[in-house]
Amino acid sequence: MTTPAPPSAPPEKAVSGDPESAGRKLASGQIGTADLVFFVVAAAAPLTVLAGVAPFAIGVGGAGTPLGYLVSGVLLALFAAGFTAMSMYVRNAGAFYAYVARGLGRTLGVATAYVAVVAYNLITPGVAAAFGYFGANYLNERAGTDIPWWVLAGVCIAATGVLGWLRVTLSAKVLGVALVLEVLSLVLMEFGILKDRGGAAFDLGSFDPGTLTHGGIASMFVLVIGAFTGFEATAIYAEEAKEPRRTVPRATFVAIGFLAVFYALGVWMIMGAYGTDQAVALAQAADGPDLTFNAAGAHVGTWLADSMEVLIIVSAFASTLAFHNAGARYMYALGREGLLPRSLGRVSGKHGSPGAAVLAQSGFNVLLIAVGVLLAADPYAEVFLWSNSVGVLGVMVMQALAALAVWAFFRRDRRGMSAFRVVWAPLISCLGLVVLSVLAVLHFDLLTGKTGTVNTVLLVPLPVVAVAGVLVALRIRRRDPARYARLTEVDVERD
């Protein structure tokens, strides 16, 4: 999709929302398009999705699962059309917060900000727990050790904390290496399947729209849409990007396009390795979680299956790092605004990173892992799935709000943009994301693996923090109207 050139504007300058925020800017001009793509695609963790989530999606979605990934990609591309248009005018490390505040009002924006902090900061320790789970299982089985999962989760948190403190470009390089290894292993598997199965691996019936009409499709979309979580973080790095007007839109569309095609092709090839009907039956059986590893072993060799078991650990680490960076930047943005303790708005003078927020985020990660250990929680089925389920739902809700905010922002003045990009695409994507968010709540058991009270308890934090955000915003508006009027004015480009 072509991004029209934005209208001319005055040179960028920081507009401080508060005198205390002066001198608290992140290092600018650090991140290019490739770096942004590495950040967001690594957050999505392609290998973890295709090996750990896709088999469950196949089990409930059946033959139409590959098409489900493509449809989800199209929906998110519509969202991105408006999202990136607004990124030309609002550049703030608290992206969803700033977008909603500018489009739908500061009160709803603050509520969104608090949801964002909870969502991203729950996903991070959850993925760190998955790293500990995969790593401990691998080492204990292969090397005969007896390392507790939480030790490796702690190592993951410490390493991501150090990388988050250092210059952001170092994180991009680490994520780039991890992503290339993940993708390479999956491409090798696909070539092996094609070599052995030939044309039998291609079941074009998987892309028949009629496959999306059976009863399990709603549940399948709940699983599939979560596989894209993280792509929206391109806007979070806008303050640190080189030529953000170009790099943010370009990286967003590249990331969505890559993920949609890569997921759809990967799932299609995994199903082709067995034949569609058999793949669905196996995905619904007890050995369903091993569907991808077994396909790699059977059609390439056990060495690839073994390598993928190592790379899924790498994938979990890369995802932890990506979400850690995103979560820290939201905390930094809100600290800078005074919506969280202002100390969180401090930047490392040497590295230009949100140092105080990185430390706080790392501390929260340790706390959540410690709670999991004290409660003897299962690191994957409980710490990972439960925290990520809440986080993914929060991101979906924020995407729906951001899409509506884009429409509202451009409603009176399209600023030279096409009606499709800033009116119809945001409204269509908002409707789709609202439907998917409702489905996620109704089918929350698919995400958590639990039913009843557990799901009710897990769903409570998001509305609670949203209400808290509304109350905080109303309090600021009542006590300090001038400060309320300046919220989100940090790093906003004037129209």
Side-chain angles (χ1 to χ4, degrees), residues 86-395:
M86 197 163 178
S87 74
M88 298 179 185
Y89 297 91
V90 181
R91 295 200 285 274
N92 191 303
F96 281 138
Y97 153 57
Y99 286 25
V100 173
R102 291 273 284 176
L104 301 178
R106 290 171 174 81
T107 298
L108 190 55
V110 175
T112 303
Y114 282 35
V115 170
V117 168
V118 170
Y120 283 108
N121 284 280
L122 278 177
I123 291 175
T124 307
V127 184
F131 172 89
Y133 170 80
F134 292 133
N137 280 354
Y138 184 84
L139 291 175
N140 294 343
E141 289 176 7
R142 301 304 177 91
T145 59
D146 190 22
I147 301 175
W149 69 269
W150 54 266
V151 170
L152 293 181
V155 170
C156 179
I157 290 169
T160 54
V162 170
L163 288 169
W165 179 277
L166 298 175
R167 194 166 292 277
V168 70
T169 50
L170 178 58
S171 290
K173 290 180 174 63
V174 172
L175 292 172
V177 172
L179 181 61
V180 167
L181 292 174
E182 286 184 60
V183 170
L184 181 60
S185 69
L186 291 164
V187 169
L188 287 174
M189 178 192 70
E190 291 166 10
F191 273 116
I193 293 170
L194 287 175
K195 179 177 176 294
D196 288 350
R197 296 272 294 164
F202 298 111
D203 182 1
L204 296 179
S206 290
F207 297 98
D208 179 352
T211 60
L212 299 181
T213 59
H214 74 79
I217 288 300
S219 301
M220 180 268 288
F221 272 111
V222 171
L223 294 170
V224 166
I225 199 71
F228 292 82
T229 301
F231 84 87
E232 72 288 338
T234 49
I236 294 174
Y237 297 98
E239 294 181 40
E240 301 163 87
K242 301 173 185 175
E243 299 184 89
R245 287 176 174 236
R246 293 180 175 83
T247 54
V248 170
R250 187 183 301 151
T252 305
F253 285 114
V254 169
I256 293 173
F258 172 82
L259 288 172
V261 173
F262 191 75
Y263 287 153
L265 180 61
V267 171
W268 194 34
M269 286 294 97
I270 291 168
M271 295 171 67
Y274 303 92
T276 300
D277 293 340
Q278 186 179 0
V280 173
L282 288 172
Q284 295 170 344
D287 58 350
D290 294 322
L291 205 66
T292 304
F293 294 116
N294 290 342
H299 295 283
V300 179
T302 55
W303 66 268
L304 180 59
D306 292 342
S307 297
M308 290 172 73
E309 288 186 22
V310 174
L311 289 174
I312 201 169
I313 302 170
V314 175
S315 175
F317 176 81
S319 184
T320 304
L321 176 58
F323 278 111
H324 167 82
N325 283 334
R329 278 157 179 78
Y330 260 104
M331 294 175 72
Y332 155 79
L334 300 194
R336 182 175 61 183
E337 296 271 18
L339 297 173
L340 288 177
R342 288 194 181 276
S343 59
L344 294 174
R346 294 174 184 164
V347 172
S348 166
K350 183 177 181 180
H351 303 292
S353 62
V358 165
L359 291 175
Q361 217 266 353
S362 298
F364 176 78
N365 294 343
V366 170
L367 178 62
L368 193 143
I369 295 297
V371 169
V373 173
L374 290 174
L375 296 178
D378 184 282
Y380 186 87
E382 295 174 343
V383 181
F384 170 64
L385 288 184
W386 294 3
S387 61
N388 275 249
S389 298
V390 177
V392 168
L393 177 60
V395 170

Side-chain angles (χ1 to χ4, degrees), residues 397-420:
V397 171
M398 290 188 293
Q399 287 172 345
L401 284 172
L404 188 61
V406 170
W407 167 79
F409 181 79
F410 289 101
R411 183 165 58 93
R412 292 189 176 89
D413 181 2
R414 299 209 307 262
R415 296 165 171 83
M417 304 284 183
S418 69
F420 172 79

